[in-house]
Amino acid sequence: MSRFRIGHPIALLAAPVFLAVCAFPAPAHGVSEKDYFSDLPEVLSVSRLAQPLDEVPGAVTVIDGETIRRLAVRDVAEVLRLVPGFSFTRRNGGNPLVQYHAALDEYGSRMQVYVDGRSVYSPFYLGDTHRGLLGVVLEDIERIEVLRGSNSAAFGGNAFLGVVNIITRHSADTLGGSVSVTRGDRGIGDQSARLGWGDETASFRLSAASQADHGLKRVFDDSRTDQLHLRGDLHPAANDEVLLELGAMRQSFGEGRPPAPCLVGGFPFICDTNKERTNAFRSGYLHLQWTRMISQDESMRFSLSHDSEYFHDAFLAERFAQVPLPPPLDYHHALVDSGGKSQRQSLEFQHTRRWNEAWRTVWGVEARREAVVSPPLFATSESFSQQQLRLFGNVEWRPAQDWLINAGGMAERGRFGSFDGHWFAPRLAVNYHLTPQHTLRAAATQSFHDPGLYEQRADTRLNVVPLGMLQLVRASGGVRPESLIAQELGYLGRFREFALTVDLRLYRERLNQRIWRYGVDYVNLPGPTNRGFEYQFDWRPFAATRLLFAQAHQRVIAGRDDNNEALEAPRRVSSLTWLQKLPGNLDFSLMASETLPLRWGGGVLSAVRELDARLGWHFHLGATHGELAFAVQLPGGSGQQYQTDHVFDRRAWTTLRLDF
Amino acid sequence: MRRFFLPLLAVLCLCLMTYESARAEGKIAVWVVLPENSGVYAATAAALRAEVEVRLPGRIAWQVVRGTDWPAAPAPKWVVAVGVAALQDVERKFFAASGPAPAVLATLLPRQGFEQLAASTPAQMREGRLSAVVLDQPPSRQLALIRLALPAARQVGVLTGRATPLPALEQAAHEAGLYLTAAPAQDEMLFSALRMVLPVADVLLALPDPEVFNSRSVPPILTAAFRRKVPLLGFSPAYVKAGALLALYSTPSQIGRQSGAMLVAAFAGGRLPPVQPPREFVVEINIDVARLFGLRLDAGQLSESLARQENDAR
């Protein structure tokens, strides 16, 4: 992507009158030949247009908003099961997780997630994207573009394994009001409201949503998420477009386990060291993006964003002796705290130009600052920050009609604490159109993943009374960025006569200098090699029927003598989705997914199979459009989640939505 | 010798002048009225003149009239008015006055503009002394192009104004097996019309009506349509440049040639044939937009297929 956009551009221009109205004695309200021969402002300029899928230098899965709204899902992570190579699970009820090419990415910390071009990657603790994925209202999503495979060359270190681009609907497409209420078992109680106003020249949307449930059975994991988002799309001048977004999210979620017997120094104790408690997370953001179309072939974009996060997770861990021991040895306690705050500011400039039919360039620069404050994790109230400066560019060359070559890369300079380093992530991709409908692609890239602030500066201690201070983590700061060398071959075919699209990808990913916790420090160790192939079929056999099939096969060759590493990835992940429109304004969907055994959360999970179904009925009450939907997940039973004793049971809910 | 030379030269000159005068009297006088002698008007006039000269070489005495700069010579039998303003000027000059008016061929103007002006002189129309080559592509041709370029499209969205000739389009859509979704979009109704039409339309057909499609409204229309993945079929090359998927139109040269042929037919028959839509046309495609819609369209092929279909239908 040369930071490409797929599908269609973010909204464009609304021009004032460019042409002086001629003093022309035409009949009133009449048409004249001027209508046929006048110039018009160039609206969809080449520089603003996105690359079509068969010219993107990588594999891409696009999930449109309508598909998302027809599935039996309540968050984005569940939707990503449609993407080949993505595994989904729930750490508990409040923490849905997705990972791409599992062995490398247990918590989504090695992939990047953007919402309307704003990174929602959290710099806190070990870095993660799963909470960012919760920070968007499903109803607001226009589409999700998933760039499968390494993409540091365009998006920097966090896009080590892939990029999830969530694009929300243009506010001019969501004018009017909408409310929805969901009620179901396991405490499911969601509601959302949306108000949109304005027109194509200046439009706004205010969305509010709240989501709650009791999570998994027998697990203390009730969760509740409230969020508020404002989006504005403005066109202050003919060639200018401004996107303004601000919002906030608040989440509370249960964590912990009930007290359990344990042995301490050979004596039986009752341990309550992961106490059942309710944690809190709050975040807020501001995002401004200004795009100027300089000419038909040239545009530039400035973006500015500020994100802040607050975590609260503090409790008293306790151990009670079950045999008589002299005090104070019969009772141990420690204050466990992993809370803190983080902030990120980013300023970016990007310039796109088409020089002629054969050449197009994109280049840009981004300055980014991330800061974390967490006295319990860093043993200081000091704020740690890291600055990154990125210069990226991509040249798109079309030497012949059927050939397209993308060459680009990103140079990044990172300065954090004692580490002051720089790296360059290059990429070369060649797309060849066998015919206009069939494209082959070969690509090679090298990516880097920076260590997070915690991995460089952690100083986490636990004062266990009366035993004394325990040093849990003491990062020496010697950890270096990970690197990944990836090669892939791809095929994208459109069989128009069968209404079928096929995407195949064969890849090899070699991870070097994998960051591991070793003792109390973080170090670099040899990483694994992933080899696999994945494919997706999108078939519309009939106008009212759509079938989506995604499957990924993967082998992990451990980089060192550690069998666990080879088990970190499932050998196969599949999903089959059936979307069907029925007579009587009904539509229904069925999604079956399967993940073969893998190591996750400290144990080996057995194969996870899920089946979700949804039936929706659309109706009209005057000018109001409504939908009444019934959804059920796992109608046939239960499935293992993340840890072997975490079980996800059948759950069902009903949603009523009114758009007016 | 010299004594005879000068009188002889004078006589010769006199003879030549007499001959030329006699020859000119045998010519057909045609006035071509243009609002300005440049751009599309000049291109139309040049093509018209070239077409007539090929068929009737040297038989026409051309007189180009710019604006209302009427020549002192007596009114000709034939006048060509290029554009709406020229037709208005010609009407004021000849039809309002008493006495015999010339036959007027209007060209390079929209059908509606022509019909509005012709409504005041129905007799001229009836007598074959007023006719036109209009710019409007026949609805059947526009819809046939949609069927060729976008075979899966069924719903054709139309934003209408007070000048939109909807009934003819409805009839053509019915015959082509397509469905029309139309919404009034003049004045402040554009955005509500887009909200009504775009969710159901497979393609948006732009029709010349300055109340709806103008330089102010086209950007938001194109933007909104593109966001909804609805391609737009425009009626001029400017639309393709602005970001429409494709456009169907006739060039001034094509209109000029057709007008020339019509004029020659009128000379032969003594009266003008009925109003004609453009015979020749151009299909133009925005390759970048087509690529984004996942389409590989060839403008030449589409144009040929469309012309072949029309020939077969005849």
Side-chain angles (χ1 to χ4, degrees):
Chain A
M1 163 162 153
S2 57
R3 299 222 150 193
F4 56 95
R5 297 172 304 277
I6 304 155
H8 47 80
I10 317 165
L12 301 162
L13 319 162
V17 182
F18 270 156
L19 306 163
V21 176
C22 301
F24 194 76
H29 297 301
V31 195
S32 85
E33 65 279 4
K34 294 275 181 194
D35 293 302
Y36 288 84
F37 299 109
S38 297
D39 285 335
L40 290 169
E42 287 157 8
V43 186
L44 306 178
S45 75
V46 173
S47 60
R48 304 297 321 280
L49 292 178
Q51 283 172 302
L53 280 184
D54 57 359
E55 302 203 337
V56 171
V60 182
T61 299
V62 181
I63 307 166
D64 61 275
E66 197 206 335
T67 300
I68 294 167
R69 287 181 274 282
R70 287 176 61 188
L71 296 174
V73 295
R74 289 171 62 232
D75 55 61
V76 174
E78 291 179 314
V79 174
L80 294 175
R81 283 178 294 174
L82 290 174
V83 184
F86 271 79
S87 313
F88 168 78
T89 191
R90 299 169 183 88
R91 187 161 66 75
N92 58 26
N95 290 278
L97 299 174
V98 278
Q99 53 176 359
Y100 183 59
H101 288 184
L104 303 181
D105 198 22
E106 189 168 347
Y107 298 106
S109 61
R110 289 185 177 89
M111 68 176 189
Q112 180 59 283
V113 177
Y114 287 98
V115 177
D116 294 327
R118 175 181 62 90
S119 165
V120 296
Y121 188 96
S122 169
F124 196 73
Y125 194 39
L126 296 172
D128 108 273
T129 51
H130 87 279
R131 226 162 279 287
L133 282 172
L134 291 168
V136 60
V137 182
L138 280 186
E139 285 290 321
D140 289 347
I141 295 177
E142 171 70 30
R143 68 189 185 282
I144 301 176
E145 300 168 352
V146 183
L147 317 177
R148 288 144 41 212
S150 192
N151 237 306
S152 291
F155 293 97
N158 295 332
F160 200 55
L161 283 176
V163 181
V164 176
N165 261 327
I166 300 170
I167 292 110
T168 68
R169 297 164 79 182
H170 192 281
S171 52
D173 287 339
T174 51
L175 302 181
S178 176
V179 289
S180 83
V181 178
T182 298
R183 290 292 178 268
D185 52 9
R186 299 294 308 148
I188 291 174
D190 307 343
Q191 38 274 321
S192 72
R194 187 184 75 213
L195 185 65
W197 66 96
D199 56 33
E200 285 287 334
T201 54
S203 51
F204 300 89
R205 175 179 65 236
L206 188 64
S207 307
S210 154
Q211 199 165 329
D213 62 52
H214 294 332
L216 310 180
K217 250 183 194 170
R218 294 180 291 280
V219 179
F220 187 84
D221 63 346
D222 289 21
S223 68
R224 181 187 170 88
T225 305
D226 301 306
Q227 47 188 312
L228 185 68
H229 304 276
L230 173 72
R231 173 178 170 142
D233 294 277
L234 309 164
H235 304 279
N239 297 335
D240 292 324
E241 163 204 320
V242 174
L243 170 71
L244 161 72
E245 290 181 303
L246 55 109
M249 177 167 83
R250 182 178 69 185
Q251 194 184 26
S252 62
F253 49 99
E255 285 281 4
R257 291 169 169 272
C262 60
L263 286 176
V264 178
F267 295 101
F269 273 67
I270 290 291
C271 286
D272 196 6
T273 51
N274 187 8
K275 188 168 277 183
E276 292 183 337
R277 64 208 184 265
T278 299
N279 292 338
F281 168 75
R282 291 199 298 269
S283 66
Y285 66 88
L286 168 70
H287 179 216
L288 265 168
Q289 188 172 286
W290 168 43
T291 307
R292 163 158 285 191
M293 195 175 80
I294 301 165
S295 72
Q296 164 75 0
D297 294 316
E298 190 176 8
S299 71
M300 61 181 186
R301 192 176 76 195
F302 291 95
S303 349
L304 170 74
S305 69
H306 175 89
D307 288 75
S308 63
E309 298 171 319
Y310 164 82
F311 297 83
H312 170 79
D313 181 5
F315 64 97
L316 188 69
E318 296 172 294
R319 291 197 294 227
F320 306 91
Q322 295 300 290
V323 290
L325 285 175
L329 295 176
D330 60 342
Y331 172 65
H332 311 157
H333 66 276
L335 181 65
V336 179
D337 191 346
S338 53
K341 294 177 188 171
S342 70
Q343 280 196 346
R344 180 179 48 246
Q345 290 93 28
S346 166
L347 185 64
E348 186 185 313
F349 168 78
Q350 182 179 314
H351 176 266
T352 305
R353 170 145 194 189
R354 182 168 79 164
W355 300 88
N356 52 43
E357 287 297 318
W359 292 90
R360 176 164 126 148
T361 55
V362 179
W363 71 273
V365 61
E366 181 191 9
R368 176 183 288 217
R369 180 179 180 274
E370 291 176 342
V372 175
V373 181
S374 173
L377 295 181
F378 295 96
T380 171
S381 53
E382 196 185 326
S383 165
F384 289 107
S385 67
Q386 59 184 16
Q387 285 89 36
Q388 289 160 315
L389 189 65
R390 295 166 167 173
L391 182 68
F392 56 88
N394 187 76
V395 175
E396 186 187 300
W397 177 38
R398 195 186 298 276
Q401 185 61 29
D402 300 332
W403 290 89
L404 187 74
I405 295 169
N406 274 280
M410 176 177 283
E412 178 170 315
R413 178 169 186 177
R415 185 179 296 157
F416 16 85
S418 60
F419 179 69
D420 184 354
H422 52 83
W423 47 254
F424 178 67
R427 178 179 55 196
L428 181 68
V430 180
N431 291 34
Y432 172 58
H433 301 298
L434 290 166
T435 71
Q437 308 302 330
H438 301 275
T439 303
L440 291 176
R441 182 187 64 245
T445 181
Q446 181 172 20
S447 294
F448 293 88
H449 172 60
D450 296 330
L453 281 165
Y454 187 78
E455 288 155 332
Q456 300 158 51
R457 305 296 294 268
D459 184 358
T460 310
R461 306 164 194 182
L462 196 63
N463 185 14
V464 183
V465 181
L467 305 178
M469 189 70 80
L470 281 178
Q471 184 78 47
L472 299 179
V473 184
R474 181 80 175 92
S476 63
V479 69
R480 292 290 175 261
E482 299 177 332
S483 84
L484 184 88
I485 296 172
Q487 293 109 19
E488 69 169 64
L489 289 174
Y491 163 75
L492 181 70
R494 293 197 179 92
F495 298 86
R496 282 188 187 285
E497 56 276 34
F498 305 111
L500 172 70
T501 304
V502 179
D503 177 321
L504 306 176
R505 177 171 181 249
L506 181 71
Y507 63 87
R508 182 181 182 277
E509 293 165 340
R510 169 87 186 113
L511 175 64
N512 292 313
Q513 297 203 305
R514 182 174 189 179
I515 297 173
W516 277 104
R517 185 167 150 191
Y518 189 78
V520 295
D521 198 3
Y522 283 95
V523 296
N524 297 102
L525 292 173
T529 300
N530 279 352
R531 279 211 298 244
F533 61 100
E534 55 193 35
Y535 38 81
Q536 62 181 26
F537 293 84
D538 182 349
W539 185 32
R540 297 171 197 254
F542 311 105
T545 307
R546 187 175 178 200
L547 293 167
L548 300 160
F549 179 58
Q551 191 164 66
H553 300 259
Q554 182 167 279
R555 298 286 177 276
V556 180
I557 300 143
R560 58 206 166 85
D561 191 16
D562 180 358
N563 284 334
N564 287 337
E565 199 168 48
L567 276 173
E568 279 182 82
R571 291 168 75 89
R572 194 178 71 219
V573 190
S574 322
S575 77
L576 177 64
T577 308
W578 176 18
L579 299 159
Q580 180 69 48
K581 286 190 174 154
L582 298 166
N585 293 325
L586 290 167
D587 63 54
F588 105 98
S589 72
L590 200 65
M591 186 205 284
S593 60
E594 180 199 56
T595 305
L596 292 190
L598 80 155
R599 173 173 290 279
W600 213 350
V604 176
L605 298 182
S606 54
V608 179
R609 293 185 180 87
E610 294 199 23
L611 185 70
D612 306 338
R614 183 182 186 275
L615 181 68
W617 173 54
H618 298 263
F619 58 88
H620 284 92
L621 291 170
T624 302
H625 166 257
E627 187 193 22
L628 183 64
F630 176 73
V632 58
Q633 289 183 325
L634 280 172
S638 57
Q640 212 175 46
Q641 299 285 310
Y642 188 67
Q643 290 182 337
T644 46
D645 60 345
H646 280 190
V647 172
F648 189 79
D649 289 295
R650 180 184 67 218
R651 63 193 55 200
W653 66 85
T654 303
T655 301
L656 175 66
R657 197 185 82 238
L658 298 173
D659 301 325
F660 45 86
Chain B
M1 188 67 190
R2 183 178 281 185
R3 229 169 11 146
F4 294 103
F5 178 73
L6 282 176
L8 187 65
L9 194 62
V11 170
L12 266 173
C13 284
L14 198 63
C15 287
L16 272 172
M17 285 166 71
T18 310
Y19 174 75
E20 268 306 307
S21 162
R23 215 172 96 89
E25 268 178 24
K27 284 189 174 184
I28 306 166
V30 177
W31 287 9
V32 181
V33 186
L34 314 169
E36 56 188 86
N37 198 4
S38 62
V40 295
Y41 303 103
T44 308
L48 176 141
R49 190 167 168 166
E51 181 70 22
V52 176
E53 288 294 333
V54 164
R55 293 167 184 241
L56 302 170
R59 291 283 313 283
I60 313 295
W62 298 101
Q63 176 75 54
V64 174
V65 183
R66 258 173 296 174
T68 49
D69 194 8
W70 304 108
K77 199 176 168 195
W78 303 95
V79 171
V80 177
V82 187
V84 169
L87 180 59
Q88 261 183 322
D89 292 339
V90 167
E91 282 207 331
R92 279 195 210 107
K93 165 89 177 157
F94 297 110
F95 295 173
S98 55
V104 177
L105 172 63
T107 185
L108 202 76
L109 78 177
R111 181 183 289 271
Q112 202 207 26
F114 172 74
E115 286 175 352
Q116 277 184 6
L117 293 170
S120 57
T121 52
Q124 301 274 347
M125 288 278 282
R126 275 199 308 274
E127 293 160 12
R129 284 164 49 223
L130 177 61
S131 188
V133 177
V134 295
L135 283 162
D136 311 48
Q137 300 296 326
S140 57
R141 183 179 294 160
Q142 291 168 317
L143 298 174
L145 177 60
I146 287 173
R147 303 270 346 214
L148 281 171
L150 305 162
R154 287 290 170 275
Q155 288 281 355
V156 180
V158 182
L159 303 172
T160 63
R162 277 164 282 212
T164 308
L166 202 52
L169 190 64
E170 279 169 341
Q171 175 66 26
H174 180 72
E175 287 164 9
L178 295 168
Y179 303 97
L180 275 196
T181 304
Q186 71 269 24
D187 305 328
E188 300 301 312
M189 296 156 79
L190 175 64
F191 299 114
S192 61
L194 284 171
R195 286 176 68 191
M196 192 186 298
V197 169
L198 291 179
V200 289
D202 301 314
V203 57
L204 197 59
L205 174 61
L207 297 169
D209 184 334
E211 276 190 319
V212 182
F213 288 94
N214 52 54
S215 60
R216 187 194 294 270
S217 69
V218 165
I221 291 172
L222 269 174
T223 305
F226 197 65
R227 266 203 325 270
R228 294 274 192 167
K229 301 187 180 69
V230 179
L232 189 138
L233 168 56
F235 52 84
S236 78
Y239 276 81
V240 167
K241 209 174 165 203
L245 172 68
L246 69 174
L248 173 66
Y249 60 90
S250 300
T251 63
S253 302
Q254 290 172 330
I255 295 289
R257 275 200 296 277
Q258 185 176 345
S259 307
M262 196 164 166
L263 202 57
V264 171
F267 295 155
R271 54 182 290 141
L272 284 159
V275 177
Q276 291 182 1
R279 206 170 44 218
E280 295 176 67
F281 54 84
V282 173
V283 174
E284 195 174 330
I285 286 165
N286 185 321
I287 298 294
D288 299 302
V289 173
R291 208 178 277 150
L292 275 181
F293 278 107
L295 300 166
R296 301 285 164 138
L297 299 176
D298 184 308
Q301 273 179 11
L302 281 174
S303 189
E304 278 171 29
S305 304
L306 200 52
R308 205 176 311 120
Q309 273 187 9
E310 290 189 358
N311 283 336
D312 293 348
R314 280 186 207 127

